[in-house]
Amino acid sequence: METGVFWVYLLVMFVVTYLIRVVPFVVFHKKIENKFIRSFLAYIPYTVLGAMTFPAVFYATGSLYTAIAGVAAALLAAYRGKGLFAVAVCASLAAFLAGLVIQFL
């Protein structure tokens, strides 16, 4: 890649990233009072993290079946109110056991 093209790409990336962070401060001068908008903004980070993470769990183990077993165990543990560590352990253990079962079939 040419050096000039690299600097153009870097500048565009900088401007886009900077605008995403600065525009809310410039546009919204006072506190947002609308409950719907406040709750919407409160859930954005979790939504984005989930959208980035969830598809990746199906490719993490190398087998779709073990990944499905892990996701099912994680959803069940989370539904039962377990903490993050317990959910991760349940998912890992389920994926591992599913891999052992598949290996012996």
Side-chain angles (χ1 to χ4, degrees):
M1 177 178 355
E2 295 178 27
T3 306
V5 174
F6 169 77
W7 290 110
V8 170
Y9 289 160
L10 187 65
L11 179 65
V12 169
M13 188 172 59
F14 168 76
V15 168
V16 169
T17 305
Y18 188 75
L19 285 176
I20 290 172
R21 286 166 171 78
V22 168
V23 167
F25 289 113
V26 172
V27 173
F28 304 109
H29 293 290
K30 58 184 179 178
K31 183 177 179 182
I32 299 172
E33 299 294 333
N34 189 320
K35 288 184 180 182
F36 176 77
I37 293 176
R38 286 175 53 95
S39 93
F40 174 77
L41 293 174
Y43 286 108
I44 290 284
Y46 303 109
T47 305
V48 171
L49 184 62
M52 291 187 317
T53 304
F54 190 73
V57 298
F58 292 107
Y59 301 101
T61 64
S63 167
L64 183 61
Y65 301 114
T66 58
I68 290 173
V71 168
L75 290 174
L76 182 65
Y79 179 75
R80 297 191 68 186
K82 303 298 180 190
L84 182 60
F85 182 74
V87 169
V89 168
C90 288
S92 300
L93 189 60
F96 177 72
L97 292 175
L100 287 178
V101 169
I102 290 171
Q103 184 179 8
F104 288 114
L105 290 179

